Amino acid sequence: MEIARKFKSAFSTVPMLGWMLGILTGVLIEFYWGYDYISYYLGLPKIPVLFGTLIMLKEPMMIPGALGYDLAVYVVPVFLVAKLTSGLTNPLAALLEKLPLALSVLIHLVLFYGILHLWAGINDYRVLVIKLTMISIILTVSINVINGYQGEFSCSHPGFMALGAYVSSIITLVLFANDKIFGAPLLPPEYGPWFFPLALVAGGAAAALGSLAVAIPSFRTRGDYLAIISLAFMFIVKSAVENLHIIGGARGMGGQPDFAPLHVIFIWTILCIWIIHNFVTSIMGKALNTVRDDEAASESMTIKTRKTKMTAFMFGAFWAGVGGGLFAHVLAYINPGMFSINRLAEILAMVYFGGLNSIVGSIVGAVSINVLGEALRPLELFKWIIIPLILIFVMIFRPYGLISFTELNMKKLLRAKTGKGV
């Protein structure tokens, strides 16, 4: 413990800018020397895509090489550069503190995206993992509005996701793709990327309208009825899509245009986090917390509890629909089986693992479960024993998740670390 305390103290003066510079250095080392030199001399067949976890599980003899690669490319350069440049990055961070917070956040986000783009660009598999992880963040943050801030238990997110996926897919296929079901495109395909945000918003709107079918009967009552009705809604949507042969039925729908590159999904993820953060910290969000804690007391304080709950429910459903639209265009194929009870289990695992009532917790949960799922892929069925066991331990020791009831504080996160009050 003493060693850990000294280690933490030694790096407590490194600002966020310093850590990003360290990570950028590690990514550049991998980009220029990862394959030709470091992997080659460590006896690895290729650059490890997920920090060597896949190689280590597939071929245990490669464990020393994979660990050596992580140390040479990431651990040593990141910590060394972050510490050695703190004398430079702290004045820069102090300079950025004098700018408006929004501008400072934008500069950090651009730098972060540059690092992410460079790291993912080394391998197509990384691009897919990052895209699906960011979509999971949208789904987790949005369900946290309902299951966390609202204090209800909804199971309908896969249904909302399916509505968004199918509506946005139909729009882009009809307008911009030569499809065997819908025929020739109605508009020139080059207009597609510019109209794609409207298709996503339409998918989100369809999900929000669909959520009324759950919200209207559920919020007339109190108790566990929402869980039952929302679960039924998910199965109704899945069965309806399976029997609509005009949109592919059980075979699914494919051929969605590639309108969701990495930067588009990154922008939508940041927009989702920013808008939901503003929502849960607004007057409506505070009313939502009050309704969660004591509905009867809220009504006595003139809060319109039913209207508050329905607004939050539709808001969460909208973002699930947007996430579904992005999901469909990343995979360029969807079928009803993708929006079943398995998807619900994944989304709930992410939100309860990260933490309720916390946007930070939702992000941590989505990233952790996604990366863990991919890292344990070589174990096949055994990973579905390991991940639930981890969840059980988290629920025992942290009943509300790893990071619950924690709000984003960008000013504190990005400030210079002078060593005073850190």
Side-chain angles (χ1 to χ4, degrees):
M1 290 300 291
E2 182 63 19
I3 294 173
R5 192 189 63 77
K6 286 181 179 177
F7 186 80
K8 185 180 176 183
S9 175
F11 289 93
S12 63
T13 55
V14 178
M16 178 58 71
L17 212 53
W19 289 115
M20 293 176 86
L21 189 62
I23 296 169
L24 177 63
T25 305
V27 173
L28 286 173
I29 289 172
E30 182 173 52
F31 190 82
Y32 286 107
W33 301 301
Y35 181 74
D36 290 334
Y37 297 100
I38 303 174
S39 296
Y40 177 77
Y41 287 110
L42 288 172
L44 298 175
K46 58 183 179 180
I47 289 179
V49 288
L50 282 178
F51 309 106
T53 50
L54 296 175
I55 291 177
M56 286 190 271
L57 290 174
K58 282 180 180 174
E59 300 179 51
M61 294 298 287
M62 296 283 181
I63 289 176
L67 291 177
Y69 186 90
D70 287 341
L71 282 171
V73 173
Y74 290 108
V75 179
V76 174
V78 169
F79 282 91
L80 200 62
V81 171
K83 181 64 180 174
L84 293 179
T85 60
S86 61
L88 173 67
T89 51
N90 267 314
L92 275 175
L95 200 63
L96 290 176
E97 275 187 272
K98 295 176 183 175
L99 299 175
L101 181 61
L103 185 58
S104 175
V105 171
L106 186 63
I107 292 170
H108 282 83
L109 283 176
V110 170
L111 181 58
F112 176 66
Y113 177 74
I115 296 170
L116 200 64
H117 183 78
L118 197 61
W119 184 79
I122 294 173
N123 188 291
D124 288 342
Y125 174 69
R126 285 184 181 178
V127 177
L128 182 62
V129 170
I130 291 177
K131 283 181 177 180
L132 294 179
T133 301
M134 287 195 285
I135 292 170
S136 296
I137 290 173
I138 293 175
L139 296 172
T140 312
V141 172
S142 60
I143 199 173
N144 210 346
V145 173
I146 302 166
N147 288 28
Y149 292 96
Q150 189 173 334
E152 302 283 356
F153 188 82
S154 170
C155 300
S156 49
H157 244 51
F160 300 147
M161 198 180 162
L163 289 175
Y166 273 92
V167 169
S168 60
S169 295
I170 291 168
I171 291 173
T172 53
L173 286 172
V174 169
L175 295 181
F176 307 111
N178 191 4
D179 185 69
K180 61 182 179 183
I181 298 176
F182 302 110
L186 299 179
L187 294 174
E190 55 267 26
Y191 292 170
W194 301 101
F195 282 91
F196 183 53
L198 295 179
L200 288 179
V201 170
L209 285 174
S211 72
L212 289 175
V214 179
I216 290 174
S218 301
F219 297 144
R220 287 181 182 276
T221 60
R222 293 179 182 174
D224 299 328
Y225 296 102
L226 176 64
I228 299 166
I229 295 173
S230 60
L231 192 62
F233 174 83
M234 184 190 72
F235 284 115
I236 289 168
V237 171
K238 181 174 175 290
S239 299
V241 173
E242 278 176 345
N243 290 285
L244 282 173
H245 298 292
I246 193 171
I247 55 172
R251 289 175 303 168
M253 177 189 287
Q256 285 86 341
D258 183 17
F259 293 155
L262 190 62
H263 68 275
V264 169
I265 300 179
F266 182 80
I267 291 170
W268 277 98
T269 306
I270 298 300
L271 267 179
C272 172
I273 293 170
W274 178 58
I275 292 173
I276 289 183
H277 171 72
N278 286 343
F279 178 79
V280 297
T281 53
S282 66
I283 293 174
M284 177 67 80
K286 295 184 189 308
L288 200 60
N289 290 339
T290 312
V291 172
R292 176 197 63 208
D293 293 337
D294 194 327
E295 191 168 341
S298 303
E299 283 181 346
S300 69
M301 296 294 287
T302 71
I303 292 174
K304 295 178 180 176
T305 56
R306 190 159 167 249
K307 179 184 174 185
T308 304
K309 290 196 292 186
M310 287 187 70
T311 304
F313 196 74
M314 291 180 70
F315 184 71
F318 172 83
W319 282 107
V322 170
L326 290 169
F327 180 77
H329 287 81
V330 166
L331 298 184
Y333 171 75
I334 46 174
N335 68 56
M338 293 177 171
F339 310 103
S340 63
I341 197 82
N342 292 340
R343 182 71 57 194
L344 174 65
E346 285 179 10
I347 296 172
L348 290 177
M350 287 186 275
V351 72
Y352 286 98
F353 181 82
L356 294 171
N357 304 286
S358 169
I359 290 175
V360 184
S362 298
I363 297 170
V364 169
V367 174
S368 303
I369 296 294
N370 265 285
V371 174
L372 194 63
E374 287 301 322
L376 298 179
R377 185 178 289 277
L379 297 180
E380 298 178 353
L381 288 177
F382 288 103
K383 82 173 185 177
W384 297 117
I385 298 173
I386 296 172
I387 293 176
L389 279 176
I390 294 172
L391 281 169
I392 289 169
F393 281 113
V394 168
M395 289 298 106
I396 290 172
F397 295 105
R398 307 276 298 182
Y400 294 101
L402 287 178
I403 306 171
S404 54
F405 296 94
T406 304
E407 296 296 344
L408 275 174
N409 188 338
M410 297 307 293
K411 195 172 182 180
K412 183 180 177 184
L413 188 67
L414 304 181
R415 72 183 182 186
K417 302 291 177 64
T418 59
K420 297 175 182 177
V422 174

